[in-house]
Amino acid sequence: MDYQKLAKRIVQRATKKGARQAEAFIEVSRQSTVRVREGQIEDLTQSTAKGVGLRVVTKDRLGFAFTSDFEPSGIDLLVDQALKLAEAAAPNKLNGLPGARDLGRFGDTGALYDEAVANLPGDWKVKAALEMEKAGRAEDSRVSTFNSVGAGDFVSEVYVASSEGMVGGYSGTYVFMFAMPVAAQDGQLQKGYWLDYKRFLADLESPESIGREATRRAVRMLGARRVKTQQVPVLFDPLVTASFVSGVAKAASGNAVHQQASMLASLKGKRLASEHVTLVDNGLLPRGLATAPFDGEGVPTRRTPIIDRGVMSSFLYDAFTARKAKARPTGNARRGYNALPSIGTTNLYLEAGTRSPEDLIKEVDRGFYVTSLLGHGANPVTGELSAGANGLWIENGELTHAVQEVTVAGNVLKMLQDLDGVGNDLQFRGGTVGAPTVRFRQLTLSGG
């Protein structure tokens, strides 16, 4: 089926039946995952999904409907439903699709689709998962069991057409592996995990290295104890930094800012951090998992620095919020076919610094290297952060014993000011947010 043609046909039908503006968003995808346990296949799931979402605007009223029935009768019903819902909706002058001014030419995404992933045989996933489990056990005898080990792939196509002249489509793939071992010693159990997600099979780490690293991360937490309450330098490993910068990006949502529900609302153009802190949302990152030529409503994606060399530079907008805030959309409308667009990040990352993580640790006399944060992260309105943390204690510039059951507390804006070291180890580990190791001059630990 020619989905691009279908999207255009749906838009034509909606405008013919009275819509002032119409937009069709089609998504077709398939995913398969294998999980193993104790050398046996635990489960094997395969799913396919396809659907189309239709937005119509008539007399400033918005109607939205979706269906997975692509038969002519199903499409007719979809158009009628969207128009009927628009008639019943409250008018809002801000309703409308992105116009010619915001559409424009797509940037260069590079390749997003890998034939090798699209044609990956089922037994590859089984073999990879079994290999991870085997390598994880071989790395250290204190790992005897795994909570979960698996591998999978995902293939998708997206097509958008609108009455405002938007026509586009793209296909993408990704492939992933994950291992979650449990290490045991003297009656204490510690979990670890490691994973990798890539668009291209050739870029994926080997199953053996994933299994081994997952085990190392579990085993190094054995013998963990609490430390007393104190203020010390704190380092976040790349996974923890990724969740920290996600919280900062949440506060950069144009919607939160417009509603004054963001700690960043009044700080545009102000210095938040030192020169070596640059936080970027980049929808055109080569081989990025969220890279695409356009966003969920057809606006070209782009590179947007949220924090540019320490200065609060840009907020993120979809078309509706941009109109509300008298700004321009930034290509950050995220959606599936069965939902209206909302603001979200694409490939979000803190740019790498020049220092090795080892150097950042070496300069710390006594401190805490955090390997996992538990809880909901920072409050995007106040910036307050208080979370349970596990990790490793630093003594005389070296990682020593494991630490658990402590709470790390601080305020995000103060933490950004105190961020005094950025590692050169930027990585996207299991998703669309990337980060290196970072160091904060001082945070409060509450322990035993």
Side-chain angles (χ1 to χ4, degrees):
M1 181 181 263
D2 186 335
Y3 293 115
Q4 190 71 78
K5 260 197 186 129
L6 176 64
K8 278 159 89 173
R9 250 202 338 268
I10 294 169
V11 167
Q12 281 160 1
R13 185 158 303 181
T15 50
K16 211 171 178 173
K17 284 193 162 182
R20 183 172 62 79
Q21 294 184 321
E23 168 207 77
F25 180 96
I26 294 178
E27 204 174 17
V28 184
S29 66
R30 63 180 164 87
Q31 178 166 9
S32 73
T33 311
V34 171
R35 289 195 307 175
V36 302
R37 186 183 286 269
E38 310 292 337
Q40 303 289 318
I41 295 175
E42 186 178 30
D43 63 42
L44 200 151
T45 56
Q46 282 185 309
S47 60
T48 58
K50 68 168 192 175
V52 54
L54 173 65
R55 280 199 293 174
V56 298
V57 180
T58 161
K59 299 188 191 123
D60 295 335
R61 298 166 195 265
L62 175 71
F64 173 71
F66 63 90
T67 185
S68 49
D69 178 1
F70 286 15
E71 293 300 318
S73 57
I75 297 299
D76 276 345
L77 194 62
L78 172 77
V79 172
D80 292 345
Q81 213 181 354
L83 286 163
K84 206 192 225 153
L85 287 165
E87 271 168 36
N92 182 340
K93 287 234 180 305
L94 298 171
N95 281 329
L97 302 176
R101 194 172 84 112
D102 294 318
L103 293 171
R105 281 185 50 218
F106 304 140
D108 179 18
T109 60
L112 303 175
Y113 182 86
D114 183 13
E115 285 289 346
V117 174
N119 300 312
L120 207 54
D123 65 346
W124 179 91
K125 283 159 277 199
V126 175
K127 272 193 204 128
L130 292 172
E131 225 173 290
M132 275 186 283
E133 193 179 47
K134 194 173 152 199
R137 285 177 198 278
E139 176 68 19
D140 198 297
S141 60
R142 288 169 291 182
V143 162
S144 61
T145 179
F146 283 76
N147 275 346
S148 192
V149 186
D153 55 49
F154 181 80
V155 183
S156 72
E157 299 169 58
V158 170
Y159 302 91
V160 179
S162 86
S163 56
E164 307 311 288
M166 159 63 199
V167 181
Y170 63 92
S171 305
T173 52
Y174 65 80
V175 58
F176 59 92
M177 294 192 281
F178 58 89
M180 301 164 80
V182 180
Q185 187 181 321
D186 302 332
Q188 192 188 59
L189 296 177
Q190 292 290 354
K191 291 184 289 204
Y193 76 99
W194 200 235
L195 67 173
D196 198 22
Y197 275 67
K198 291 287 190 298
R199 275 200 181 274
F200 287 78
L201 187 60
D203 297 341
L204 197 67
E205 273 184 39
S206 73
E208 188 188 350
S209 71
I210 300 274
R212 286 182 180 280
E213 181 60 24
T215 285
R216 281 195 289 269
R217 290 175 75 90
V219 166
R220 72 182 180 184
M221 287 306 296
L222 288 168
R225 51 189 198 262
R226 296 167 84 166
V227 291
K228 65 179 199 297
T229 297
Q230 56 195 298
Q231 288 190 319
V232 289
V234 170
L235 284 86
F236 283 178
D237 86 353
L239 277 84
V240 176
T241 308
S243 86
F244 174 73
V245 299
S246 293
V248 176
K250 214 174 261 168
S253 152
N255 201 36
V257 167
H258 186 72
Q259 292 169 351
Q260 297 293 313
S262 159
M263 58 182 161
L264 302 175
S266 60
L267 298 176
K268 196 165 176 191
K270 303 271 198 309
R271 176 163 293 285
L272 298 184
S274 71
E275 287 270 309
H276 50 239
V277 176
T278 293
L279 178 62
V280 174
D281 179 80
N282 186 357
L284 294 171
L285 181 74
R287 297 190 170 208
L289 287 181
T291 298
F294 51 83
D295 72 359
E297 45 192 2
V299 173
T301 53
R302 65 201 68 185
R303 178 186 183 279
T304 306
I306 296 171
I307 299 174
D308 194 2
R309 288 180 301 184
V311 175
M312 178 65 230
S313 171
S314 307
F315 300 129
L316 307 178
Y317 293 101
D318 60 6
F320 181 77
T321 315
R323 223 170 271 135
K324 208 160 57 169
K326 298 185 171 50
R328 296 287 297 275
T330 53
N332 285 95
R334 299 294 301 273
R335 69 180 293 191
Y337 76 85
N338 56 356
L340 284 166
S342 60
I343 298 171
T345 54
T346 58
N347 303 292
L348 175 75
Y349 55 97
L350 186 67
E351 285 191 350
T354 53
R355 316 278 313 279
S356 73
E358 293 76 19
D359 277 355
L360 295 176
I361 292 166
K362 221 177 263 170
E363 293 169 349
V364 175
D365 197 24
R366 300 186 57 200
F368 185 32
Y369 175 78
V370 182
T371 55
S372 72
L373 270 188
L374 321 160
H376 298 300
N379 179 324
V381 184
T382 63
E384 290 306 319
L385 171 74
S386 177
N390 297 337
L392 302 164
W393 193 246
I394 302 168
E395 199 75 54
N396 301 323
E398 287 191 0
L399 297 174
T400 58
H401 65 87
V403 173
Q404 68 182 15
E405 290 176 30
V406 296
T407 301
V408 172
N411 181 288
V412 171
L413 294 175
K414 177 86 170 80
M415 287 168 76
L416 285 167
Q417 283 171 16
D418 284 350
L419 206 161
D420 70 351
V422 181
N424 58 7
D425 54 340
L426 165 63
Q427 48 189 281
F428 284 83
R429 188 58 59 179
T432 57
V433 185
T437 301
V438 297
R439 185 179 66 199
F440 301 98
R441 201 168 289 122
Q442 191 169 282
L443 281 173
T444 301
L445 300 187
S446 309

